[in-house]
Amino acid sequence: MKIGHIDYLNLLPFYQFLKKKGIKVKSSYPAKINEWFENGKIEAAFISSIKAKNQKCFPVGIAAKKEVKSVLVCPGIGDDFESATSNVLAKILNIQGKVVIGDKAFREKNCQDLAKLWYEKYNLPFVFALFCVNKKYEKYEKLIKEFIKTKQKIPYLTLKKYAESLGISYKEAKEYLDKIIYYNLGWREKKALKIFWRKANELTKHRKTASS
């Protein structure tokens, strides 16, 4: 198996699941994972929602309701080079500032939570990534179903060490994984994805019109 892994806290449960099964991963940030997936260097991964449209994906992703805490717009200017979906989301929501995603977002202050802003506007959760494949569909289908059905227990010391590296407490890290981030996608998440893809398409068309 050739699996790309987003090396953020939000996928630590998936990483631990694969580790227990003896499956190695190729780790990086979301935008790089997208690139590897498109180039065929990996067979499967949680890829950014903006890149997942028209791909072979399962109803499994990285989602959050009302807030996410790790996808922010902070004082400043610019996109986050690690991101694909969040940069577009900020533009759709017309939020000005510096996009900051992933583990480094836990160190930021005085920022706006993009999932919270999305929820306030659409009353829907937001899906930041989808688990997609470009080879061995049935094999990965079995794997991702097992991941969803099995409650993932992260060893205390593993999560504590990870939390300390982010500058947050064990309790904050556990609450983030237990109460904020989830993976199984239902009709509300699918509806949110359709809205996001439509708005992203409208944004692209508007830019082309403005530059012509």
Side-chain angles (χ1 to χ4, degrees), residues 177-209:
L177 292 176
D178 290 347
K179 298 179 180 180
I180 294 177
I181 295 296
Y182 64 98
Y183 309 104
N184 203 15
L185 308 182
W187 71 267
R188 289 176 62 81
E189 290 75 21
K190 291 174 184 177
K191 181 179 179 181
L193 277 167
K194 287 180 180 178
I195 293 172
F196 173 67
W197 286 330
R198 187 178 76 245
K199 292 293 181 181
N201 188 50
E202 290 172 0
L203 186 66
T204 300
K205 287 181 178 178
H206 176 73
R207 284 178 176 173
K208 288 181 178 178
T209 301

Side-chain angles (χ1 to χ4, degrees), residues 139-167:
K139 191 173 185 178
Y140 285 109
E141 182 180 33
K142 183 179 179 181
L143 180 74
I144 203 66
K145 281 184 176 179
E146 184 181 347
F147 168 66
I148 290 297
K149 289 180 180 178
T150 308
K151 184 172 176 57
Q152 306 305 317
K153 295 182 179 179
I154 300 174
Y156 171 79
L157 290 177
T158 298
L159 186 55
K160 185 174 184 293
K161 184 177 180 181
Y162 201 113
E164 287 174 350
S165 73
L166 303 182

Side-chain angles (χ1 to χ4, degrees), residues 69-132:
K69 292 191 174 182
S70 57
V71 180
L72 311 172
V73 170
C74 303
I77 300 173
D79 292 341
D80 189 324
F81 77 92
E82 296 186 2
S83 168
T85 292
S86 302
N87 292 332
V88 175
L89 178 58
K91 292 176 176 63
I92 288 172
L93 295 172
N94 196 27
I95 304 300
Q96 305 300 315
K98 179 180 67 173
V99 177
V100 182
I101 73 161
D103 291 351
K104 60 186 179 296
F106 291 104
R107 305 184 187 96
E108 296 288 341
K109 304 293 182 184
N110 303 315
C111 302
Q112 298 181 81
D113 189 305
L114 283 177
K116 183 179 180 181
L117 294 171
W118 173 270
Y119 182 83
E120 288 172 354
K121 186 167 185 177
Y122 296 106
N123 195 33
L124 289 168
F126 191 79
V127 181
F128 292 92
L130 288 163
F131 190 77
C132 306

